[in-house]
Amino acid sequence: MRLYPAIDIKDGKCVRLKKGLFNEVTVYSDKPYEIAESFERDGAQFIHTVDLDGALKGRGVNAETIKKIVNSVNIPVQMGGGVRTLDNIKEVLDLGVYRVIIGTKAVENPDFIKQAIEQFGPEHIVVGVDAKDGMVAIEGWEKVSDKTALSLALAMKDMGVQTIVYTDISKDGMLSGPNVEQTKLLSDKTGIDIIASGGMSCMDDLTHINDAGIHGAIIGKALYEKKIILKDAVKHFESGFSVLKSNSLEKANMSFNEFKLNEDGLIPVIVQDYVSNEVLMLAYMNEEAYTKTLETGVMTYYSRSRQELWVKGLTSGHYQYVSSLDIDCDKDTILARVRQVGAACHTGNRSCFYRNLKVWNR
């Protein structure tokens, strides 16, 4: 089971609400990025964030806070709140967020989800199904729609959605235990990854979610109130469920002169998304680029056309933050897993490999 420690943001601060009520606010920190760093130190492999102001106003409000969180950790971050347009999604992904959670728009215009998946890929689009008494709530949980949670989840599956965050609003922030029965129903009926949200209060709650075969659980108030110790929960529920498994070059203490270089004195670098392993691009490094990459944690290459050092994203803002580096058996190719901000390709496509040549159906 995957654990998702939560950071809810209001006015740039880390807060928790009771049952989604904006007048029932507890502030836990005015530096949410420090909370994110502590989650990573405790072994978290994914962080869940919500722009509460954005959810209420229908637009991103806490972008700078979200960006600071993303830049402070080396694990993927998902974010919901205020995402209503394709441009909103791009803006959030450009912050370095890995997955965008869409709630209200999925109810109002299901075809929007299909468009989002086609443009950004299913691994980057998550639908938030938030329910009161089984009926889906929208607009920061201020309104209740006429759709049931199950009907919306099934419709989203048909649109190509792979992951849903299901929140029982009556449980949120109450430390009263999650709605395991309804969450399991969604998981069993849709067959896709369902992340349970709302009410986690103790390790037993996580055990119930795990035993029900549910993909993941978001933990919020229970962490801040020390009802659940994240380090213990990760050790118990996420052993063997690692996003990144590699022997980095830095840890291996391998120097550049040990590599087998091409005739130009360069080594090719295959670049992959650090969660999905999608191949993003191919580039080259000389010794200076390799050394700078290790020192800064930002992918740096040697541009053969310009014959100069090239920090990926320096002009476009589409940086690549290193998660791991590996060398192949012949020591002549590096595999880099990165957190890609925005598009990897200069054409604006996420991957440089967007043109299909041939598919064999066997």
Side-chain angles (χ1 to χ4, degrees), residues 62-77:
N62 290 291
E64 287 305 312
T65 301
I66 297 292
K67 185 175 182 179
K68 199 163 186 177
I69 288 172
V70 170
N71 289 339
S72 70
V73 296
N74 294 306
I75 55 177
V77 176

Side-chain angles (χ1 to χ4, degrees), residues 187-231:
S187 180
D188 291 346
K189 293 291 186 181
T190 64
I192 62 178
D193 290 342
I194 305 294
I195 303 172
S197 176
M200 304 299 165
S201 65
C202 60
M203 291 286 279
D204 282 347
D205 289 339
L206 296 178
T207 298
H208 296 325
I209 291 291
N210 186 61
D211 290 349
I214 295 164
H215 165 77
I218 292 172
I219 319 171
K221 188 175 181 178
L223 293 176
Y224 300 102
E225 300 289 336
K226 308 298 183 184
K227 305 290 185 181
I228 295 175
I229 304 303
L230 182 59
K231 187 180 296 186

Side-chain angles (χ1 to χ4, degrees), residues 74 81 104 119 155 212-213 242 257 261 283 322 354:
N74 294 306
T104 296
Q119 182 166 337
S242 177
N257 59 21
L261 309 179
V322 187
Y354 61 90

